Amino acid sequence: MKTGIKGVRIRRAAAVAGAGVLLAGGALTAPAQAATAPSVSAKGAFMLNSATGSTLYSKYADTKRPMASTTKIMTARVVLSTPDLNLDRKVTIKQAYRDYVTAKGASTADLKTGDKVTIRQLLHAMLLPSGCDAAMALADTFGTGTTISARTKSFVSKMNAKADTLGLTNTHFDSFDGNSTQNTNYTTPRDLAKLARSAMKYSTFAGIVKKPKTVQYATTSTGGTRTYTWYNTNQLLGSYSGAIGVKTGTNTPSGPCLVFAATRNEKTVIGVLLNDQYRYTDAAKLLDYAFGTSSASTMRLRTLPTGAQRD
């Protein structure tokens, strides 16, 4: 576990004044409520009981902040709520998707131009290696309009409409992947946790985000078969017992972000950390607090292989 002067100061502040932490009683078991709420380095944090939606932990939960690639949770949520969705529908990868990633210096699933991949595979490509090329492919496919630009803008409008439907009153999107175009891509820890809770109700989403790795096969433009191997950027998976997702995010304005979820003893909790340099350790501390356990101090992070995307 990493510690520092800043962490000590935060813990002291928490002991004296609560450091913005709100504790909700009765949501889980007695041991969890008996524990002392941990301090975290995040600028904003929130954790809820997935079954009831009740608050378990809160730190500046309603302060708007940029969210980086955790944006892609909403991208997936919009796709999955599409009427008559066919997850096996094939999409041909356009050079524009690769050009976009290059121009942005963004995380990528390295989708090859001309390959035919399914919607299900695009969701894997977006949610595991945090592929912005895959996010663009989905926005282009499910938006409306005569150009890629028009279709992706249309899709972002759908993201905002879905945010309204879900009651995410402090959330706004200006991009399909978190690479903000107008500095108006923001959310709050509370809103993002509510969004993740909604997304996790889709078995397809929940099934994808819990995978540390996936191997997928696509048809190339010449009729051959290409193998894609994607690793999940969420290092909490395989590191914290019971972790089941959800999504990482990192860029300059947002800092390191993490939406996390775990299940122990049939209890599932979902949490959010925005701008937290110790996001995995802090997530483990919060989960221990929720479950009344002590795993964080001995947790060893799963390592990503050389060449795998980081986010």
Side-chain angles (χ1 to χ4, degrees), residues 40-161:
V40 295
S41 298
K43 299 296 185 183
F46 190 77
M47 186 169 59
L48 56 75
N49 181 318
S50 181
T52 65
S54 60
T55 300
L56 300 177
Y57 186 97
S58 179
K59 175 182 178 181
Y60 303 115
D62 300 308
T63 299
K64 298 173 183 176
R65 297 188 182 280
M67 58 185 132
S69 284
T70 62
T71 295
K72 293 165 184 166
I73 297 173
M74 180 59 93
T75 304
R77 180 66 176 76
V78 170
V79 170
L80 290 169
S81 63
T82 301
D84 302 317
L85 176 65
N86 177 10
L87 289 169
D88 296 318
R89 172 186 174 185
K90 291 191 175 181
V91 173
T92 301
I93 301 303
K94 299 174 182 177
Q95 181 62 36
Y97 308 157
R98 294 182 61 84
D99 293 343
Y100 171 80
V101 165
T102 300
K104 293 286 186 178
S107 52
T108 177
D110 197 22
L111 297 171
K112 304 297 186 183
T113 303
D115 281 7
K116 294 178 175 59
V117 298
T118 66
I119 300 300
R120 192 191 313 273
Q121 289 174 324
L122 285 174
L123 288 169
H124 278 83
M126 178 177 69
L127 295 170
L128 269 69
S130 200
C132 295
D133 45 355
M136 186 177 188
L138 289 168
D140 185 30
T141 300
F142 288 91
T144 57
T146 57
T147 64
I148 293 177
S149 177
R151 289 188 292 271
T152 53
K153 286 179 181 177
S154 163
F155 186 85
V156 172
S157 294
K158 292 184 178 183
M159 294 168 70
N160 285 312

Side-chain angles (χ1 to χ4, degrees), residues 126-258:
M126 178 177 69
L127 295 170
L128 269 69
S130 200
C132 295
D133 45 355
M136 186 177 188
L138 289 168
D140 185 30
T141 300
F142 288 91
T144 57
T146 57
T147 64
I148 293 177
S149 177
R151 289 188 292 271
T152 53
K153 286 179 181 177
S154 163
F155 186 85
V156 172
S157 294
K158 292 184 178 183
M159 294 168 70
N160 285 312
K162 184 61 66 178
D164 289 341
T165 300
L166 295 174
L168 310 183
T169 56
N170 292 311
T171 297
H172 183 269
F173 300 98
D174 66 19
S175 72
F176 48 77
D177 61 355
N179 286 301
S180 181
T181 58
Q182 304 160 25
N183 295 321
T184 55
N185 202 85
Y186 58 79
T187 189
T188 66
R190 188 190 307 273
D191 274 7
L192 192 49
K194 288 169 63 178
L195 171 59
R197 183 185 181 215
S198 172
M200 288 292 278
K201 292 178 181 178
Y202 286 84
S203 59
T204 297
F205 182 90
I208 291 173
V209 297
K210 71 179 181 181
K211 297 179 181 179
K213 170 188 174 182
T214 188
V215 178
Q216 301 285 333
Y217 304 97
T219 303
T220 68
S221 58
T222 57
T225 300
R226 190 185 312 281
T227 302
Y228 286 104
T229 302
W230 295 313
Y231 294 89
N232 200 321
T233 58
N234 180 6
Q235 291 176 265
L236 201 64
L237 296 171
S239 303
Y240 187 92
S241 178
I244 56 172
V246 175
K247 187 73 187 73
T248 60
T250 305
N251 60 26
T252 300
S254 305
C257 301
L258 180 66

Side-chain angles (χ1 to χ4, degrees), residues 239-241 264 284-285 288 293-300:
S239 303
Y240 187 92
S241 178
R264 285 187 179 180
K285 285 160 60 177
D288 277 351
T293 55
S294 56
S295 308
S297 61
T298 57
M299 183 180 74
R300 295 295 177 265

